[in-house]
Amino acid sequence: DVKVTQSSRYLVKRTGEKVFLECVQDMDHENMFWYRQDPGLGLRLIYFSYDVKMKEKGDIPEGYSVSREKKERFSLILESASTNQTSMYLCASSLWGGGLFFGSGTQLSVL
Amino acid sequence: AQKVTQAQTEISVVEKEDVTLDCVYETRDTTYYLFWYKQPPSGELVFLIRRNSFDEQNEISGRYSWNFQKSTSSFNFTITASQVVDSAVYFCALSEFDTSYDKVIFGPGTSLSVIP
């Protein structure tokens, strides 16, 4: 079975903290993605990676960075968390053209 | 530019009714993929179907069916004999062929409530 695992389901952080969201996939997919989902704004792409150590900005990369040191792991980093980064974060992976497979999401609250 | 429109924001139906969720897309490419995803209250996005632009055959999977019409740029999703477990937000999505990655554009979603 296809499996994308996000390390935390719920996370509460303080403003200014450095936050790491981890995502691991076991399907040997080349592509990995980070989206955020907000009411009324839908799903917005933050960053994606199509190979190890490769990364590309999505539609809303400001305030975020990513790391992909191994094929199966894609991390999203909030260098200095702010309240407007409170959101549901969704990780996904894909084989080209095969559709995205999502993790269960991390609901991040920044206080 | 690519775009996905789901004009129905919210739909409510009574259990056992049929319901169709509309999806209209825009793309300049002749080769692309279309998808439907389901997001139940638990939050996880579940992949339902992929269709490539060369395959206009309709597809049926149990109570689910999809109607793809290139002439109208639509990829509609019908649930027959709806059940309470079908209550979820449904997203239509598009991915163009000429990218080296799967950059997927999602529609805004349609929230379906099935009332017992």
Side-chain angles (χ1 to χ4, degrees):
Chain A
D1 248 5
V2 165
K3 192 73 175 175
V4 178
T5 303
Q6 293 183 231
S7 52
S8 304
R9 185 69 179 92
Y10 298 97
L11 210 52
V12 180
K13 296 293 181 180
R14 295 286 181 188
T15 303
E17 279 192 73
K18 190 169 186 176
V19 181
F20 292 86
L21 302 183
E22 306 286 348
C23 176
V24 177
Q25 52 100 358
D26 65 359
M27 298 163 286
D28 203 33
H29 285 171
E30 294 97 353
N31 306 321
M32 295 190 74
F33 307 80
W34 277 105
Y35 287 84
R36 65 178 281 179
Q37 185 177 24
D38 301 286
L41 296 175
L43 282 143
R44 294 181 292 168
L45 181 63
I46 305 171
Y47 265 98
F48 61 96
S49 168
Y50 52 87
D51 201 352
V52 176
K53 297 192 186 292
M54 305 301 288
K55 59 185 180 183
E56 293 283 344
K57 293 179 180 179
D59 301 317
I60 51 162
E62 297 78 19
Y64 303 94
S65 62
V66 290
S67 172
R68 193 166 182 201
E69 296 295 319
K70 293 185 178 181
K71 190 176 185 179
E72 66 271 17
R73 187 179 296 271
F74 192 37
S75 302
L76 180 69
I77 303 158
L78 287 67
E79 295 290 343
S80 178
S82 63
T83 55
N84 63 13
Q85 292 178 310
T86 292
S87 184
M88 170 68 84
Y89 290 88
L90 292 158
C91 175
S93 72
S94 75
L95 277 174
W96 182 85
L100 299 179
F101 290 88
F102 285 86
S104 54
T106 297
Q107 180 61 54
L108 172 67
S109 297
V110 182
L111 306 177
Chain B
Q2 45 180 316
K3 184 180 177 182
V4 178
T5 302
Q6 295 177 257
Q8 304 147 310
T9 306
E10 294 182 5
I11 301 176
S12 287
V13 298
V14 176
E15 201 171 19
K16 297 184 183 176
E17 285 184 350
D18 298 348
V19 58
T20 295
L21 309 182
D22 297 332
C23 174
V24 174
Y25 62 92
E26 293 177 28
T27 177
R28 290 172 293 188
D29 276 14
T30 56
T31 306
Y32 49 88
Y33 294 96
L34 295 164
F35 308 89
W36 275 96
Y37 289 84
K38 174 182 179 179
Q39 188 175 38
S42 60
E44 183 172 349
L45 272 155
V46 178
F47 171 84
L48 294 178
I49 188 172
R50 178 191 73 166
R51 173 66 74 224
N52 75 54
S53 53
F54 296 114
D55 183 1
E56 286 193 73
Q57 279 192 337
N58 291 333
E59 179 149 346
I60 299 174
S61 176
R63 296 183 297 105
Y64 294 172
S65 62
W66 290 269
N67 183 292
F68 175 32
Q69 293 195 343
K70 286 179 79 169
S71 60
T72 56
S73 297
S74 65
F75 186 44
N76 296 338
F77 173 30
T78 298
I79 302 174
T80 303
S82 60
Q83 300 177 1
V84 172
V85 293
D86 296 326
S87 296
V89 180
Y90 290 87
F91 293 94
C92 181
L94 166 71
S95 174
E96 291 178 335
F97 183 83
D98 66 349
T99 58
S100 59
Y101 48 83
D102 272 328
K103 186 175 179 184
V104 178
I105 301 299
F106 287 85
T110 297
S111 178
L112 173 65
S113 296
V114 180
I115 303 163

